[in-house]
Amino acid sequence: MAMLDNNPDFDRGGLPCPPPPLLKPNLSSKLMAALRRNRLRDGNPISSKPITLGRVGSLEIRLAQTEREIRKAQRLRYKVFYKEMAAKPDSQTKFTRRDADAYDAICDHLLVLDHDSPKKAFGRREPRIVGTYRLLRQEMANLYGGFYTASEFNIGAIINNHADRHFLELGRSCVLKEYRTKRTIELLWQGIWAYVQIHKIDVMIGCASIMGTDPKQLAEPLTFLSKLGKAPEEWSVDAWPQISVPLEQMDPSAINDKAALRSLPPLLKAYMRLGCYFSNNAMVDHQFGTTDVLIILPLENIDPRYIDHYSTSNVKDAVAMHQ
């Protein structure tokens, strides 16, 4: 599961059946140790200075600066994924009330903060964390055994075929219900656009999720995605065969394209506007109650008008600080 944003609208019908096993990447011993702990330890700040990547009204976007902020982002993810949506927590997740895994320790975490809705903490008033996005750079994935999405999709070919490209995986996107507005989505994209420039990213990948685990009930939106056409061969990706679900679930000529488009999650539609490719098929994530497709977005596909739109003064200043 990844990339759940303001998230969609979507359960499994019929007789229950056990989910197929996911193919896990070859995780390093360090990452496995972090996975067993499923927590972050307090320590020094990740960065000494908060750097604003974007600003819209009272909302600011920046990277998490401390492990405490990452834990707060994990609690936000728990609230959205497990309390509001259909994700099924294991015993430790239920006990800690945090959506946490080993990848959190090697990712950067974008935070949307509301300065007009502060919360008290240790006698201080702090801005409220209302949205988050998890970012995994290729150099970190290479050090610790691979990308999260490698457990769902066979991404090895596109990475090997584009060895000169620098990949970024996006995931675990969520926003509090009352903040699921156009301006929050725009702010997230400002932050991502600053980040990809700072780290010289060439390609973004990640799983986009539609709520629901019965492909037949999602026949119209999935089939609509199949009508958009296959990705070029050099960007072609399949879900692992054991868990693959066809996108074409019904006669493509029988669907209402406008209705199918409206039913798609806003984040997925945003990627479509930017020029992404989709995986050839989908997979069902039973833990998170979603059906996932892989997004592949080479940066050269992005229309210059969107680049201009997201290149705000805050974004330009943040990028300039890292030149």
Side-chain angles (χ1 to χ4, degrees), residues 181-282:
T181 63
K182 181 181 178 182
R183 75 170 188 166
T184 308
I185 296 297
E186 297 235 323
L187 192 59
L188 282 167
W189 277 106
Q190 287 181 33
I192 291 169
W193 183 238
Y195 189 90
V196 299
Q197 291 180 86
I198 289 168
H199 293 286
K200 297 178 171 49
I201 302 299
D202 301 302
V203 184
M204 292 186 282
I205 60 172
C207 294
S209 300
I210 302 174
M211 290 300 298
T213 58
D214 186 347
K216 294 302 180 185
Q217 292 185 9
L218 303 174
E220 197 161 64
L222 290 176
T223 303
F224 176 77
L225 294 181
S226 76
K227 290 180 68 174
L228 298 179
K230 282 193 171 187
E233 186 61 32
E234 62 176 324
W235 296 109
S236 180
V237 175
D238 289 292
W240 291 107
Q242 298 92 323
I243 54 177
S244 177
V245 172
L247 288 180
E248 190 172 308
Q249 292 288 323
M250 59 185 291
D251 180 356
S253 65
I255 71 171
N256 182 321
D257 287 354
K258 289 185 178 179
L261 179 61
R262 283 196 301 269
S263 71
L264 293 174
L267 187 62
L268 199 155
K269 287 186 282 190
Y271 278 107
M272 289 170 57
R273 288 192 293 270
L274 290 173
C276 75
Y277 302 126
F278 295 104
S279 52
N280 299 323
N281 34 49

Side-chain angles (χ1 to χ4, degrees), residues 64-127:
Q65 301 299 304
T66 64
E67 292 175 347
R68 180 169 169 266
E69 286 185 341
I70 294 174
R71 288 197 298 275
K72 290 169 78 171
Q74 292 169 338
R75 283 194 284 272
L76 171 63
R77 285 164 19 192
Y78 179 87
K79 182 175 182 179
V80 173
F81 298 151
Y82 293 91
K83 302 298 286 185
E84 181 183 347
M85 308 298 179
K88 301 171 184 177
D90 58 24
S91 58
Q92 184 166 348
T93 300
K94 191 179 294 186
F95 175 75
T96 62
R97 300 179 68 82
R98 289 189 289 118
D99 170 57
D101 67 18
Y103 289 89
D104 284 326
I106 63 171
C107 291
D108 285 324
H109 300 260
L110 272 179
L111 305 177
V112 178
L113 302 104
D114 186 355
H115 290 269
D116 282 354
S117 182
K119 298 186 75 174
K120 281 192 174 182
F122 302 106
R124 304 187 307 271
R125 294 180 71 81
E126 297 180 346

Side-chain angles (χ1 to χ4, degrees), residues 53-55 190 193 307-317:
L53 300 177
R55 192 88 187 228
Q190 287 181 33
W193 183 238
I307 293 174
D308 291 340
H309 180 69
Y310 294 121
S311 296
T312 64
S313 57
N314 279 322
V315 168
K316 291 177 181 177
D317 289 346

Side-chain angles (χ1 to χ4, degrees), residues 10 49 84 119 151 223 257 290 297:
F10 327 149
K49 290 183 180 179
E84 181 183 347
K119 298 186 75 174
S151 67
T223 303
D257 287 354
T290 63
L297 180 57

Side-chain angles (χ1 to χ4, degrees), residues 138-200:
Q138 187 172 359
E139 58 264 35
M140 295 301 293
N142 290 345
L143 284 172
Y144 288 93
F147 287 111
Y148 177 92
T149 48
S151 67
E152 299 182 345
F153 293 88
N154 184 4
I155 60 176
I158 62 168
I159 293 174
N160 293 334
N161 291 341
H162 300 277
D164 58 331
R165 307 283 190 106
H166 190 184
F167 284 71
L168 173 70
E169 180 185 79
L170 299 93
R172 285 303 204 273
S173 170
C174 68
V175 177
L176 281 177
K177 191 172 185 177
E178 60 268 34
Y179 287 88
R180 291 173 197 165
T181 63
K182 181 181 178 182
R183 75 170 188 166
T184 308
I185 296 297
E186 297 235 323
L187 192 59
L188 282 167
W189 277 106
Q190 287 181 33
I192 291 169
W193 183 238
Y195 189 90
V196 299
Q197 291 180 86
I198 289 168
H199 293 286
K200 297 178 171 49

